[in-house]
Amino acid sequence: MRVEIWSDIACPWCYVGKARFEKALEAFPHRDQVEVVHRSFELDPGRAKGDVQPVIKMLTKKYGMSEAQAQAGEENLGTQAAAEGLEYQTRGRDHGNTFDMHRLLHFAKERGRQDELIQILYRANFAEERSLFTEGDERLVELAVEAGLDADAVRKVLTDPTAYADDVRADEREAAQLGANGVPFFVLDRAYGVSGAQPAEVFAQALTQAWGDRSPLKLIDDGGAEACGPDGCAVPQH
């Protein structure tokens, strides 16, 4: 079974939702037969690469709330994250463009290191005091190397703005086609969708239902036609 997760590194509920999903997956009897793929979704795709601002300022401008309300929201997120065993900096974080991170995640997928990289990027953005957005490409290189990727190969991706760009855009178009207008968005075997950072119990129910509803292969013809197998190919008798 395949589970696809549309998310953004700048999305705190994606950070929390991933932990809740993984708690459900860990307890799922067929977890070794579940493939998890991370898909791209930018919350702020129009933001320029160098446009970085404090999270609180971004929230007040985007949602029209006061600084006190924005800070209260961050404190609530910190509480929710702590309940999942996650660290969360409720003050001092900043916000910026995540497109290069998504490009690197597609590169990491080719190398079999996607889950490692996305978790490290989440940690860097939400749990560490250092900015993920103001230190340039070398900060991303450092984190990618921690995920097991080659530094020179990562730099090559980052210096070519077209590398994996089409893959990111394809994921975002697909999200729109599936009706996802927010993240996290979980799709199980292209049959079930789960929106938001649901409790682990909801993910457990979704995994069980999707697994149970998988249709066995229905054969149109159960034999008679020539075919090849491990012991060779059928030889026509006439």
Side-chain angles (χ1 to χ4, degrees):
M1 185 167 71
R2 169 180 280 202
V3 178
E4 297 162 277
I5 308 174
W6 271 265
S7 58
D8 190 11
I9 300 303
C11 165
W13 288 117
C14 296
Y15 178 48
V16 173
K18 182 176 185 290
R20 291 175 177 173
F21 169 76
E22 287 175 346
K23 185 180 294 184
L25 184 61
E26 180 63 27
F28 185 56
H30 310 287
R31 61 184 178 276
D32 293 339
Q33 295 170 265
V34 178
E35 176 192 14
V36 178
V37 178
H38 297 282
R39 301 290 191 193
S40 299
F41 189 106
E42 293 173 278
L43 290 175
D44 203 352
R47 182 177 291 271
K49 183 176 179 178
D51 183 5
V52 181
Q53 66 181 150
V55 165
I56 297 300
K57 183 177 179 180
M58 179 274 293
L59 291 172
T60 59
K61 183 177 180 180
K62 186 172 184 177
Y63 298 108
M65 59 177 65
S66 67
E67 287 193 8
Q69 289 172 319
Q71 187 58 55
E74 283 292 284
E75 298 293 341
N76 175 57
L77 277 162
T79 300
Q80 299 277 350
E84 304 304 329
L86 302 172
E87 294 184 32
Y88 191 96
Q89 294 281 337
T90 60
R91 297 177 183 273
R93 292 195 308 108
D94 53 20
H95 176 79
N97 181 285
T98 57
F99 187 64
D100 283 348
M101 298 174 205
H102 285 294
R103 294 197 299 116
L104 281 182
L105 285 167
H106 278 278
F107 168 71
K109 181 177 181 292
E110 287 187 349
R111 301 299 192 273
R113 309 300 294 176
Q114 190 185 47
D115 193 69
E116 289 82 357
L117 180 58
I118 198 169
Q119 191 59 37
I120 287 169
L121 291 173
Y122 277 141
R123 184 204 70 205
N125 189 38
F126 293 109
E128 296 182 359
E129 293 185 5
R130 287 178 64 187
S131 172
L132 188 58
F133 301 99
T134 61
E135 297 186 26
D137 288 352
E138 283 306 304
R139 174 71 166 139
L140 295 181
V141 172
E142 172 191 328
L143 295 170
V145 167
E146 184 181 342
L149 298 168
D150 177 75
D152 289 337
V154 171
R155 289 189 185 95
K156 186 175 180 180
V157 171
L158 290 172
T159 55
D160 177 4
T162 67
Y164 302 95
D166 289 344
D167 299 276
V168 176
R169 298 306 183 208
D171 276 359
E172 292 173 338
R173 286 193 300 271
E174 198 163 14
Q177 291 166 2
L178 291 170
N181 53 18
V183 285
F185 188 69
F186 301 77
V187 177
L188 292 75
D189 258 0
R190 290 298 170 108
Y192 294 90
V194 179
S195 180
Q198 299 285 349
E201 295 77 13
V202 174
F203 288 121
Q205 180 183 356
L207 285 165
T208 299
Q209 187 168 348
W211 183 268
D213 285 355
R214 292 176 309 143
S215 299
L217 186 67
K218 295 180 175 63
L219 292 176
I220 302 301
D221 188 337
D222 61 358
E226 291 80 2
C228 294
D231 298 324
C233 297
V235 178
Q237 300 300 310
H238 303 290

